[in-house]
């Protein structure tokens, strides 16, 4: 029987098959590499809140000034992320991966020697810019290396970041308490390791792009109807707001709870840091298990449960003794951050193909807006006291009830199938 297909058709079919193979294979070495860099990046970010007690004593800072440092870090690491992500979705830039870590290296080096408030602000802004360059392209790499296992890739990628954040309190206990501010100098080695790994990942990323990998389906020309566009916009606003609230509550624990423990229980600083570590480490575990839990109970349901389910623990926290505080922090951290990777996957379903933009919105802009929360909390502590502020913060997760206004998983899957 004669084969009627032309050479051009055969070549096109071969290219399409190669595209499918590229997009279906799960590349674990790249997933693990980018997850480790996420750990490096976020552990360096975590050292800045860990240094707050040292900086407060060395430079005689107020709580409000501590809040401004947190604000500078979060805003620079987050607000420009949607811009970088949007640009990366239109033209990928693998070179941003090692360049971003170079910026982080410079920020950490300056921070170790910063002897005035302005230089501290400038140093943390450099670290923030490095993080802003990493996250959108890092998430695109994780999506690219995931193949068909998108949920698993998000869990691996995000757990690296949350594990890095959980290291902050241990950094204080093991490095900054014994060595002081100059201890930050050791993290230039972490940044240097990140530059080396990012260079390797960027080369693979470039090779995949040169091989024809694309993030978008070819048939993206049909225009969404007005009702669906309105629903997607509304869902985006709610989702960003929920991540903002989650970040605000997280900032109250990560940046100020050690001060609360020292104020209320006369606890030593190194002991107080263990409590922050337990909260963040439990959150990292929750992040890893969030994907499987969402598969069982639904993405929207898990976002709702993770927020509202935190309320009893958050409300009880200011009124219990240190033992029960540790228990509540472990449970609350796990529950609240179980939706961390799920919110990213949910947003990706709202905007299929726009991986960098989604990263900028969810892990960038919304998290950065949480920095505003940290600034507000610092000012409130100066005016009304730390005890009253922590009682008030316990009500924040109640705003998770807004998740009821998000489209159901079934509706999202129906949109994706159109």
């Amino acid at each position: 029987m004669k084969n009627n297909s032309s050479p051009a058709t055969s070549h096109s079919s071969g290219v399409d098959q190669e595209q499918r193979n590229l997009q279906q294979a799960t590349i674990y070495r790249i997933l693990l590499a980018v997850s480790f860099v996420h750990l490096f990046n976020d552990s360096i970010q975590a050292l800045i809140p860990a240094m707050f007690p040292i900086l407060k004593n060395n430079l005689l800072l107020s709580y409000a000034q501590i809040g401004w440092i947190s604000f500078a870090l979060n805003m620079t690491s987050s607000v420009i992320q949607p811009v970088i992500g949007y640009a990366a979705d239109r033209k990928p830039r693998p070179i941003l991966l090692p360049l971003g870590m170079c910026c982080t290296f410079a920020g950490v080096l300056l921070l170790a020697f910063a002897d005035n408030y302005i230089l501290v602000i400038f140093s943390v802004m450099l670290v923030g810019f490095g993080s802003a360059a990493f996250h959108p392209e890092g998430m695109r790499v994780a999506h690219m290396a995931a193949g068909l296992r998108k949920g698993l890739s998000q869990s691996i990628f995000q757990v690296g970041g949350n594990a890095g954040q959980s290291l902050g309190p241990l950094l204080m206990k093991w490095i900054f308490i014994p060595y002081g501010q100059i201890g930050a100098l050791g993290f230039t080695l972490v940044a240097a390791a990140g530059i080396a790994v990012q260079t390797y990942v960027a080369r693979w990323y470039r090779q995949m792009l040169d091989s024809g990998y694309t993030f978008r389906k070819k048939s993206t020309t049909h225009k969404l109807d007005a009702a669906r566009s309105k629903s997607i916009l509304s869902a985006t606003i709610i989702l960003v707001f929920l991540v903002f609230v989650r970040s605000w509550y997280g900032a109250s624990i990560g940046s100020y709870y050690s001060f609360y423990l020292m104020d209320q229980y006369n606890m030593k600083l190194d002991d107080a840091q263990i409590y922050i570590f337990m909260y963040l480490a439990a959150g990292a575990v929750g992040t890893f298990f969030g994907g499987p839990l969402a598969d069982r109970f639904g993405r929207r349901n898990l976002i709702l449960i993770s927020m509202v389910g935190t309320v009893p623990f958050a409300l009880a926290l200011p009124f219990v003794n240190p033992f029960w505080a540790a228990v509540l922090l472990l449970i609350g951290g796990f529950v609240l951050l179980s939706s961390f990777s799920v919110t990213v996957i949910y947003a990706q379903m709202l905007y299929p193909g726009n991986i960098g933009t989604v990263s900028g919105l969810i892990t960038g802009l919304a998290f950065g807006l949480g920095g505003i929360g940290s600034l507000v909390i610092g000012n409130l502590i100066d005016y009304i006291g730390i005890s009253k502020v922590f009682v008030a913060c316990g009500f924040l997760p109640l705003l998770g009830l807004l998740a009821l206004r998000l489209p159901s998983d079934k509706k999202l899957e129906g949109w994706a199938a159109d």
Side-chain angles (χ1 to χ4, degrees):
M1 183 175 179
K2 186 177 179 180
N3 185 358
N4 293 322
S5 61
S6 66
T9 303
S10 299
H11 176 71
S12 175
S13 177
V15 170
D16 289 343
Q17 183 60 44
E18 184 179 359
Q19 278 273 343
R20 285 192 292 271
N21 292 338
L22 284 170
Q23 303 204 20
Q24 290 178 5
T26 303
I27 316 296
Y28 287 100
R29 74 178 190 280
I30 298 298
L31 274 177
L32 291 174
V34 78
S35 180
F36 272 112
V37 175
H38 201 180
L39 187 150
F40 296 159
N41 180 87
D42 285 25
S43 65
I44 291 173
Q45 276 195 275
L47 80 85
I48 294 171
M51 289 180 69
F52 283 169
I54 298 294
L55 293 172
K56 188 175 189 296
N57 290 335
N58 287 355
L59 304 179
L60 303 177
L61 304 179
S62 67
Y63 284 111
Q65 287 175 308
I66 292 293
W68 276 109
I69 296 173
S70 180
F71 177 80
L73 173 67
N74 286 340
M75 294 302 280
T76 51
S77 69
S78 307
V79 169
I80 65 172
Q81 270 198 52
V83 178
I84 294 175
Y86 181 83
D89 284 334
R90 271 104 198 116
K91 185 178 180 181
R93 291 170 174 83
I95 191 65
L96 283 178
L97 293 172
L99 283 181
M101 194 57 71
C102 287
C103 194
T104 298
F105 179 95
V108 174
L109 184 62
L110 279 176
L111 187 60
F113 299 101
D115 59 358
N116 62 75
Y117 184 57
I118 298 301
L119 191 55
V120 169
I121 293 287
F122 180 68
S123 301
V124 302
M125 288 178 68
L126 283 176
V127 174
F129 282 128
S131 181
F134 163 71
H135 279 97
E137 288 290 15
M139 188 175 291
R140 284 166 62 82
V141 168
H143 188 276
M144 179 183 283
L148 297 177
R149 310 194 71 178
K150 305 300 183 189
L152 174 66
S153 78
Q154 277 304 311
S155 290
I156 292 174
F157 178 69
Q158 298 295 351
V159 80
N162 283 3
Q165 291 172 20
S166 72
L167 293 176
L170 298 185
L171 304 180
M172 168 58 69
K173 183 178 177 66
W174 293 336
I175 296 175
F176 297 120
I177 290 176
Y179 300 106
Q181 188 175 339
I182 195 66
L185 193 62
F187 287 86
T188 57
L189 299 177
V190 177
I195 293 169
V197 178
Q198 290 289 61
T199 300
Y200 167 74
V201 171
R203 286 174 180 167
W204 176 84
Y205 186 4
R206 172 53 61 192
Q207 289 170 1
M208 288 290 286
L209 293 173
D210 292 342
S211 298
Y213 186 98
T214 59
F215 289 92
R216 295 172 178 271
K217 296 178 181 178
K218 291 181 179 180
S219 57
T220 58
T221 56
H222 90 268
K223 190 175 181 180
L224 297 179
D225 61 80
R228 185 186 300 185
S229 295
K230 185 177 179 180
S231 295
I232 290 174
L233 177 60
S234 174
T236 302
I237 293 171
I238 292 172
L239 198 63
V240 168
F241 180 74
L242 290 177
V243 177
F244 160 57
V245 170
R246 187 179 65 199
S247 298
W248 192 329
Y249 182 75
S252 73
I253 301 296
S255 297
Y256 299 106
Y257 192 65
S258 58
F259 293 112
Y260 179 83
L261 290 170
M262 290 186 288
D263 180 72
Q264 295 295 307
Y265 305 114
N266 296 317
M267 193 175 290
K268 293 181 179 178
L269 177 59
D270 55 344
D271 292 332
Q273 293 300 313
I274 296 298
Y275 284 74
I276 312 304
F277 168 73
M278 288 191 293
Y279 171 79
L280 295 172
V285 176
T287 296
F288 184 77
F289 285 101
L293 288 171
D295 290 339
R296 183 183 179 103
F297 299 107
R299 296 179 187 89
R300 185 185 70 172
N301 291 340
L302 187 70
I303 294 170
L304 174 66
I305 292 168
S306 74
M307 296 286 288
V308 178
T310 306
V311 173
F313 311 108
L315 289 176
L317 187 61
F319 303 102
V320 297
N321 62 34
F323 171 80
W324 286 109
V327 173
L328 293 176
L329 286 170
L330 285 170
I331 300 172
F334 180 93
V335 173
L336 184 65
L337 291 176
S338 63
S339 64
F340 195 95
S341 61
V342 178
T343 50
V344 175
I345 297 169
Y346 190 97
Q348 288 176 353
M349 294 182 71
L350 286 173
Y351 298 96
N354 296 286
I355 310 302
T357 306
V358 165
S359 170
L361 282 172
I362 302 303
T363 64
L365 179 60
F367 182 75
L369 291 175
I372 298 175
S374 183
L375 177 60
V376 171
I377 290 169
N379 279 277
L380 284 174
I381 290 173
D382 281 338
Y383 281 106
I384 66 174
I386 198 165
S387 297
K388 291 179 181 178
V389 169
F390 267 97
V391 172
C393 285
F395 290 92
L396 283 172
L398 267 176
L399 294 169
L401 288 169
L402 285 171
L404 292 169
R405 303 283 299 174
L406 291 171
S408 67
D409 289 26
K410 186 176 181 180
K411 181 175 286 189
L412 281 184
E413 289 162 3
W415 289 350
D418 288 349

